[in-house]
Amino acid sequence: MSTSSVKLATPQGYQALSPKTLCIYLETTPIAHRLGGTSSQWSASEVGDGNLNLVFIVEGPKGSVVVKQALPYVRMVGESWPLPLARAHFEHLALVEQGKHAPQRVPAIYHYDAPMALTVMEYLTPHIILRKGLIAGERYPHMAAHVGEFLAHSLFFTSDFYLDPVSKREKIALYLTNTAMCKISEDLIFDEPYFDAELNRHTSPQLDDIALEFRKDTVLKLAVQELKYKFMNNAESLLHGDLHTGSVMVTEDDTRAIDPEFAFYGPMGFDVGAFIANLLMAYFSKDKNDDYALWILEQTQILWQSFSTEFSSLWAARKGGEIFNPRLYDDAPDLKEAALQLRLDTIFGDALGFAGCKIIRRILGLAHVDDFESIEDADKRAACERRALLFARRLILERKNFKTMQDVLKAAQ
Ligand code: SR1
Ligand code: MG
């Protein structure tokens, strides 16, 4: 990914907002009534700590909302890396679609303004970002099952297992031009960790040897490029596209997936693998196998269990869908079960491979995760990261050999 000094043209009517200008803006929108009173009684603060956008919490006498606005550049790098505002459109589209299939697992959407690249949505409170909760050692008894359910519903209902071919192709087309976001993933996940890219960083000098080994590792690079090819060509389902633990908000009882601005039609295993990768990084960031670390590992098992059980019941109950049309069962009644098993096995293998890629990119690439970054002692951090890197390599190369999540978790320990 190369940065440039050319600023992107922003559409007429776009203005990056500040807390003050946001309140004045909101007064002109249909959601003003949710806040109550007038803008002079509202308080807004910018709370975004992600890599790309502005995020505001606005509170009024009657209620509160969250406002997310895209910037015309990558926030974590600055204006030298322009990024189309259109990602706000894809995020809104995906949130609405996911809201149809998993309404309890995404925030409610109140308002979308295309020229302003801005969405007003439910303020999830007292939720916190899952990654922060895991770093703090909190347990969320329903989180893994909820994410599994979100994945099963959002992936099943947007695939050929449910849709007729016309609707499926129309849906693919809706996301085809989210190219800038897909290109970020193609570069940052599958390429940059494997060459000396300008914006790469790693814990140095502790990981210099392994970073170089990975760059020289033809077998690994072949496998990663095979996964990249799958990412680019397997339009199986509408993906969230960036389902890490920073894209999930939790309380003890509730779980919501946010931020699907990387949404596109891709392989189901990519979303499943993204979440597994982030649970595994949370696990590897704890330097010993204490109760809490093992609890995190167990969540990976619960996630897969919940996803596969939910996906299987949707499959059993399905009425439409183009693939494995019921006319094929007449002379081969066991086909229905075999088809499901084949799909689950493929998603599982893909998910492990993508999980491996996701772990490596967060340790050797541009965008790191706080699970590791919050470990101040560089030697300690590097030791955790090295374990994660070696395991990620195994996940990628042996993805077709692991038969169950239990096998994966044993190997992780
Ligand atoms: C330049 S954007 C870096 C990363 O932040 C997002 O969360 C995505 O994971 C992206 O790859
Ligand atoms: Mg995000």
Side-chain angles (χ1 to χ4, degrees), residues 52 68 242 244 247 259 261-262:
L52 300 175
K68 180 169 175 183
D242 196 26
H244 52 76
S247 298
D259 281 0
E261 63 204 311
F262 286 80

Side-chain angles (χ1 to χ4, degrees), residues 117-180:
L118 169 157
T119 304
V120 184
M121 64 189 100
E122 182 181 3
Y123 172 34
L124 298 170
T125 180
H127 300 62
I128 65 162
I129 293 286
L130 172 59
R131 192 187 306 286
K132 292 186 199 290
L134 295 177
I135 292 171
E138 300 295 336
R139 296 180 195 226
Y140 300 97
H142 308 289
M143 171 274 293
H146 283 167
V147 176
E149 169 201 318
F150 167 76
L151 284 166
H153 283 246
S154 59
L155 299 178
F156 183 90
F157 286 116
T158 58
S159 76
D160 292 306
F161 285 76
Y162 176 75
L163 295 171
D164 67 80
V166 175
S167 318
K168 164 88 183 314
R169 287 198 172 85
E170 281 169 2
K171 282 186 190 292
I172 293 176
L174 289 178
Y175 297 88
L176 269 183
T177 50
N178 201 7
T179 41

Side-chain angles (χ1 to χ4, degrees), residues 104-353:
Q104 291 171 327
R105 305 275 74 97
V106 291
I109 303 302
Y110 299 146
H111 178 65
Y112 173 63
D113 182 331
M116 288 290 279
L118 169 157
T119 304
V120 184
M121 64 189 100
E122 182 181 3
Y123 172 34
L124 298 170
T125 180
H127 300 62
I128 65 162
I129 293 286
L130 172 59
R131 192 187 306 286
K132 292 186 199 290
L134 295 177
I135 292 171
E138 300 295 336
R139 296 180 195 226
Y140 300 97
H142 308 289
M143 171 274 293
H146 283 167
V147 176
E149 169 201 318
F150 167 76
L151 284 166
H153 283 246
S154 59
L155 299 178
F156 183 90
F157 286 116
T158 58
S159 76
D160 292 306
F161 285 76
Y162 176 75
L163 295 171
D164 67 80
V166 175
S167 318
K168 164 88 183 314
R169 287 198 172 85
E170 281 169 2
K171 282 186 190 292
I172 293 176
L174 289 178
Y175 297 88
L176 269 183
T177 50
N178 201 7
T179 41
M181 304 309 274
C182 287
K183 181 77 170 103
I184 287 182
S185 297
E186 286 148 16
D187 287 339
L188 268 60
I189 300 171
F190 300 103
D191 279 18
E192 297 197 355
Y194 307 95
F195 70 92
D196 190 13
E198 194 190 335
L199 297 176
N200 278 353
R201 66 186 176 87
H202 60 256
T203 305
S204 179
Q206 291 87 343
L207 296 182
D208 289 356
D209 59 339
I210 195 165
L212 185 61
E213 270 168 38
F214 277 24
R215 296 211 295 267
K216 289 181 174 170
D217 192 334
T218 302
V219 176
L220 178 62
K221 286 166 106 158
L222 271 176
V224 170
Q225 289 300 300
E226 201 187 319
L227 286 158
K228 178 179 180 181
Y229 193 69
K230 201 162 230 189
F231 174 88
M232 296 172 76
N233 291 289
N234 281 27
E236 293 174 358
S237 288
L238 174 62
L239 304 189
H240 176 287
D242 196 26
L243 193 63
H244 52 76
T245 45
S247 298
V248 173
M249 297 198 70
V250 280
T251 64
E252 210 176 300
D253 304 315
D254 192 28
T255 312
R256 312 285 186 103
I258 59 168
D259 281 0
E261 63 204 311
F262 286 80
F264 76 111
Y265 257 80
M268 298 183 182
F270 184 78
D271 269 2
V272 180
F275 199 70
I276 291 174
N278 280 267
L279 289 178
L280 288 174
M281 285 190 282
Y283 165 72
F284 283 114
S285 72
K286 313 284 171 192
D287 62 351
K288 51 183 187 309
N289 275 328
D290 61 9
D291 266 10
Y292 187 64
L294 294 174
W295 178 84
I296 298 177
L297 265 196
E298 199 191 328
Q299 302 318 297
T300 315
Q301 167 75 35
I302 297 172
L303 170 89
W304 178 255
Q305 189 60 44
S306 143
F307 168 75
S308 52
T309 307
E310 197 64 27
F311 196 92
S312 303
S313 21
L314 295 174
W315 171 251
R318 83 176 192 143
K319 301 235 158 39
E322 173 62 10
I323 193 79
F324 290 112
N325 192 302
R327 63 193 166 187
L328 299 173
Y329 307 151
D330 289 347
D331 300 316
D334 56 345
L335 180 67
K336 188 171 182 184
E337 193 51 38
L340 172 66
Q341 202 47 55
L342 176 63
R343 181 86 297 255
L344 289 175
D345 290 347
T346 306
I347 299 172
F348 187 66
D350 288 354
L352 298 185

